[in-house]
Amino acid sequence: MYVGIYFRVFLSLLPLWVVDGNQCSDGVLTIHPERVVVKYGDFVEVNCSASGPHDGMGWEATVGNKPIEEDIHLITWTVEELTDWDVEAECFINLQDGEQCIKTLTVVMYKDLEHAPVLSANHTGPMIEGTTYLLQCAIYNVAPVCNLNVRWYRGDVLIGHSPADNSTERPTPVNVTATLRITPTKHDDGAQFRCEAELNLGQEGPQPPPPKMISQNVSITVHYGPVTTNCPRTIEISEGENLETFCPSEGNPRPTVRWMRDGLSIDPGLPLSREDSGVYTVNVTGLLSFEDTIEVFVMYGPVFHCPSNYIVEEYTAHNLSCKVDGYPRPDTQWLKDGEEVILPEELSRGYGGQYFILANSTYGNASHLLDIKVLYPPSPIAELEDTEVDVVGSDVVLKCAVYGDPRPQYRWSYPRVSNVWVNTEDGVSLLHINGTTGENIGTYTCFAFNKLGEERRSVRVTVKGVQASCPIQFSIANKPVNEAVVEYNNNVSIRCSAPGHKRILWAVSVNQSITGDTWTEKALTDWNVMPTCKVTLENRDPCHKLFNVTLFKTPKDLSIRFQNHSGPLFKDKQYTLLCEIQNVAPVKNLVVNWYKKEINSSRSVKNETFQDNSNKEPQNVSSTLLIKATKSENGAQYWCEARLKLGDHDTNATSQPLRVTVYYAPVITRPNGSDVPVFKDYQEVLVCEAEGNPKPEIIWIFNNKSSKGGDLTIGTDKAGFITCRASNEVANVTKTMKLVFKEDYLPLIAGFVAVIVVITSVIFIFIYSIYYTNTKMGRYSLKDAKPNTQNGNVAQNGLDGNLPMKKLSQQNIYVLNGTP
């Protein structure tokens, strides 16, 4: 092992100092044979000879190394049992000029194929025709693989060859797999495939060559088809024959063929009759399934389908049904009185009589007798014309008259109004209208008929200057209505009716119409809905009528605020109150009411409508109120009410009240005058009061000094001017007063009052004493006593006395001077 490793290292370094063996002169060094093929484990022997003088020769090999020897011209490399798959051997000679010549021996080791190849496919089960598959041939433990050849056979026919894999240089035994692509056809069904493997070692190899190994046969099943033959698109078959010979099918798996007609399976072996002509379907089921459509014609002789008698109207297109069936189609011939005739589309009375009809085809002949009778239908109606009534209330007569055989009968179709009646006499029908009105406007149709036919004529009756009435009526829950008020997303159901109608439909929108007399919406959300009832009337012009639907949304979100302002108001400025109503509809029905609450009362101050707004969809609406800030507005409350005027469905919402705060400048209410008297030796309390909002702050200013508060106490030694200033956020207001010194007369007044009191007391005592003396000490008569109007004295005994009388203490007390 180590010798081989050292030898490989030696060989890798050898080119650095030796001459390339190819540069050896011809015949200097010879190896025989130059290429040796050895079976694994066999003996090998190769001679190396030199033709000239040298300084030594030998073999360098991974196995069986021969050291250098001199004075020899032949050296043999031998190995008893060669088992080194990577064996390398070189014979060398050292020339006398110092160079070295090397010859490399080619050693090919092989190993006999020990096992038969294993053939398989990359698919299990049946193969499908037209599909490509891969056959695999597995060869185990083979060397050298580059000399391996694989041949492929279908039965005994060579169908492929897999050459040796020269891309693999590995000399050791390996497992290899050769592949072959096949695309089977139906002809390969049941075929057997095999592969054969052999080593191609050339002339140096063993003779005869090693035996080839053969795999087991692999049989394949190919599914194909189905393939159908004799299956034309059209089949013509005689009556009594069958379809068994048509559309046979082959395939693997064996297909089934199924004949069908009108969706039902049939037995193709049954004989066909003329009724069996038609379209058939052939279903073929196998590996694939398909179906063909075949038209089958069953051939048979002529057969008549013709009445023995026929009655037809004169000068009208006849509908005589006289058919001759047969396949191929037979030729027909009509004979009358021995002459061939062709019936025109319209028959006159001259065509009445007996006809002899012949039918001929390749499958037989047939004949038929036919009697034709030509009668007279009603003649066209000529005298019935359109009529226009010039004056409302006039009478009208419409005349309908025809000729025919049998004698025609009459029937009228007209607007069913009570003033219309019909009478028929002597083959003439008259329709009378007594007192024509707008209800008689419409179509009048006269029908003249017998058993042979019918004639009709329609005319219009109009009234000059009068429009035809439209009798459409609407109702909800059987109650007549002309309009409906519906809250958004609620249900609505309207019934349309009209007497004598043929058809009623609702046109709800451009793309939506409803057939029937009732229009229903479970959740009405279309703001522009315009439901129109259209009716087709019996003998009247079609008419239509729009049903008015008011879809509304209750005003719910109301708010009130000042526009472009926040906070308190300032006196004498104008402000705008804004009432905002969100998502309300229809706006044209909206009324916004403004209210104001003062101290003891509330009143409406403004109403605003939006009748010019034709938009039916919900909108955000606002209303404004202009107010001027005055003192009286302070503390007032405003609010707005949004009311939808919807008749019985009125709805409203009210905003929260908004309290108004008005700021105004201070007004000094005390003191009133401009001079303030000050008494000597007395302290004075000065009072300054002011009104304002916010509440003013009072400051007294005297001799460049200030003092807060409404009351100010000053001494008697102060003189000059004093100022009261009232301030708030609106303004500053001042009032300046002059302090005026006064003498104090209070002591004098008090003394004077005391003297007066003393004097009064003395006088009172004096008078009382006199009164007491007169009333208690003597008798007096006051009969006929009269007060003196001049001096107030009272007459005594009818005489004018000098006794004075005085009124005291608001009582009628009289003091009399006199004697008892």
Side-chain angles (χ1 to χ4, degrees), residues 258-323:
R258 184 184 182 194
W259 287 77
M260 300 186 69
R261 184 185 181 193
D262 298 330
L264 300 176
S265 296
I266 66 166
D267 183 359
L270 295 177
L272 300 181
S273 65
R274 63 194 67 181
E275 291 81 11
D276 295 323
S277 294
V279 178
Y280 290 75
T281 300
V282 179
N283 290 318
V284 182
T285 304
L287 176 63
L288 301 175
S289 297
F290 65 88
E291 66 180 27
D292 282 336
T293 299
I294 301 173
E295 191 168 10
V296 177
F297 296 94
V298 180
M299 296 183 289
Y300 59 97
V303 177
F304 278 92
H305 299 281
C306 192
S308 298
N309 298 282
Y310 179 70
I311 299 175
V312 63
E313 296 179 12
E314 185 178 27
Y315 303 123
T316 60
H318 66 80
N319 59 355
L320 175 61
S321 176
C322 188
K323 297 180 180 180

Side-chain angles (χ1 to χ4, degrees), residues 2 32 114 126 137 167 186 192 197 299 306 309 364 411 474 521 542 661 702 708 754 785 791:
Y2 294 106
H32 181 75
E114 299 176 350
C137 183
S167 62
K186 65 179 182 179
Q192 292 186 338
M299 296 183 289
C306 192
N309 298 282
R411 179 173 60 87
F474 298 106
E521 290 288 347
T661 301
F702 182 69
K708 293 184 179 181
N791 52 22

Side-chain angles (χ1 to χ4, degrees), residues 451-521:
K451 65 179 182 179
L452 301 177
E454 177 183 275
E455 281 292 327
R456 70 178 65 185
R457 183 176 178 83
S458 297
V459 296
R460 284 187 56 79
V461 173
T462 58
V463 180
K464 194 171 184 177
V466 177
Q467 293 288 335
S469 60
C470 185
I472 290 179
Q473 295 178 344
F474 298 106
S475 63
I476 297 178
N478 297 324
K479 294 182 179 179
V481 294
N482 293 321
E483 63 178 359
V485 179
V486 183
E487 187 171 3
Y488 179 81
N489 210 35
N490 279 10
N491 68 308
V492 60
S493 181
I494 312 298
R495 184 177 182 271
C496 173
S497 60
H501 70 270
K502 290 182 178 179
R503 183 169 179 261
I504 298 180
L505 65 82
W506 284 88
V508 182
S509 63
V510 176
N511 299 320
Q512 182 184 6
S513 61
I514 301 172
T515 301
D517 61 358
T518 303
W519 168 60
T520 300
E521 290 288 347

Side-chain angles (χ1 to χ4, degrees), residues 369-438:
L369 289 176
L370 171 64
D371 287 326
I372 297 179
K373 185 178 182 180
V374 179
L375 299 179
Y376 301 91
S379 63
I381 302 172
E383 298 184 52
L384 189 61
E385 301 292 342
D386 292 340
T387 302
E388 182 179 33
V389 180
D390 293 328
V391 180
V392 177
S394 300
D395 293 339
V396 174
V397 177
L398 300 179
K399 180 181 178 181
C400 182
V402 297
Y403 299 97
D405 187 16
R407 186 170 184 171
Q409 297 179 7
Y410 295 95
R411 179 173 60 87
W412 287 86
S413 175
Y414 55 89
R416 297 297 173 179
V417 185
S418 60
N419 62 344
V420 179
W421 58 281
V422 177
N423 75 310
T424 302
E425 292 181 1
D426 298 330
V428 177
S429 182
L430 299 178
L431 182 142
H432 301 265
I433 304 176
N434 296 333
T436 308
T437 66

Side-chain angles (χ1 to χ4, degrees), residues 784-805 815-819:
D784 299 327
K786 296 180 181 179
N788 189 308
T789 60
Q790 315 239 330
N791 52 22
N793 294 331
V794 178
Q796 180 180 1
N797 295 326
L799 300 176
D800 186 10
N802 293 325
L803 185 63
M805 182 177 64
V815 179
L816 300 177
N817 293 327
T819 59

